[in-house]
């Protein structure tokens, strides 16, 4: 018998869910796309039941919606929806950073730097998929404070609810410029400077949204020229940064 720990294979629902999450993250199903249960079941070689169950889970996470006579679709977002999503992220991510940064160990900082290097290298090589996962890993390492798993889950749901998630790394030059900001965030985290982390994190998030809005100019004309007050929280955590 092998000495390594036995790993139970995923159920069919778990396997389908994993594949659909990958497909959504990597842009196989853009905003407005329909997810055909029969087509997915044939491609994956499973029955319709696990596909439907997986889609129901994704519906609960707001990654897909069910429309009568059309089935499951990736939701299209209004501009105000997108701005609200960024407002939610600002509030939750700032709170998560305030909880997690003081607890980071040297090993945690090293892991953050490794994720940053993986992301930057992948972008330089034009590997958007690896860069996407590296970027997510970095940010969620910065959010994860022991005992606050529900908070992190809420942040993950906000990221997943973004119908335009697959567009962020389409412009590799802009993505590389954004990724270059990771080092300053990690430096501030290493110094335990929560205020600085929050300020840099907010600027980083704002820059990502600006880039996205430029890509969506045909859908939201002129939106990339609006002021950040349109999506920043009215109880901006910048106030926290100024008083600590």
């Amino acid at each position: 018998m092998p000495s390594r720990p036995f790993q139970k294979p995923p159920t069919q629902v778990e396997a389908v869910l994993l594949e659909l999450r990958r497909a959504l993250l990597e842009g196989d199903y853009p905003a407005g796309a329909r997810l055909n249960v029969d087509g997915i079941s044939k491609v994956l070689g499973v029955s319709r039941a696990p596909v439907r169950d997986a889609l129901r889970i994704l519906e609960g996470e707001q990654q897909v919606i069910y429309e009568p006579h059309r089935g499951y679709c990736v939701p299209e977002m209004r501009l105000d929806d997108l701005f609200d999503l960024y407002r939610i992220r600002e509030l939750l991510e700032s709170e998560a950073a305030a909880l997690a940064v003081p607890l980071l160990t040297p090993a945690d900082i090293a892991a953050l730097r490794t994720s940053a290097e993986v992301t930057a290298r992948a972008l330089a090589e034009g590997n958007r998929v690896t860069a996407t996962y590296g970027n997510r890993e970095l940010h969620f390492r910065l959010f994860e404070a022991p005992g606050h798993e529900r908070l992190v889950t809420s942040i993950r749901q906000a990221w997943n609810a973004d119908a335009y998630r697959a567009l962020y790394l389409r412009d590799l030059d802009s993505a590389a410029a954004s990724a270059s900001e990771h080092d300053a965030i990690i430096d501030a985290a290493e110094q335990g400077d929560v205020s600085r982390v929050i300020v840099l994190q907010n600027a980083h998030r704002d820059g990502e949204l600006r880039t996205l809005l430029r890509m969506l100019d045909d859908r939201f004309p002129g939106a990339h020229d609006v002021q950040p007050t349109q999506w920043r929280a009215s109880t901006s955590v910048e106030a926290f940064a100024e008083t600590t």
Side-chain angles (χ1 to χ4, degrees), residues 79-80 82-83 174 205-231:
L79 188 59
D80 284 344
L82 185 61
F83 287 170
S174 294
R205 192 185 311 105
D206 288 351
E208 288 184 341
L209 181 55
R210 288 279 191 207
T211 298
L212 177 63
L213 291 174
R214 284 196 293 272
M215 293 186 208
L216 294 172
D217 191 58
D218 57 337
R219 180 172 176 78
F220 305 123
H224 61 276
D225 290 326
V226 304
Q227 296 301 308
T229 51
Q230 294 295 309
W231 65 78

Side-chain angles (χ1 to χ4, degrees), residues 127-157:
N127 187 336
R128 292 179 176 84
V129 174
T130 298
T132 296
Y133 287 112
N135 180 68
R136 277 203 167 210
E137 182 178 78
L138 185 155
H139 285 285
F140 279 91
R141 284 186 186 278
L142 194 61
F143 301 149
E144 292 173 346
H148 298 282
E149 292 78 9
R150 189 178 294 274
L151 175 59
V152 177
T153 296
S154 296
I155 296 171
R156 186 170 285 106
Q157 288 172 341

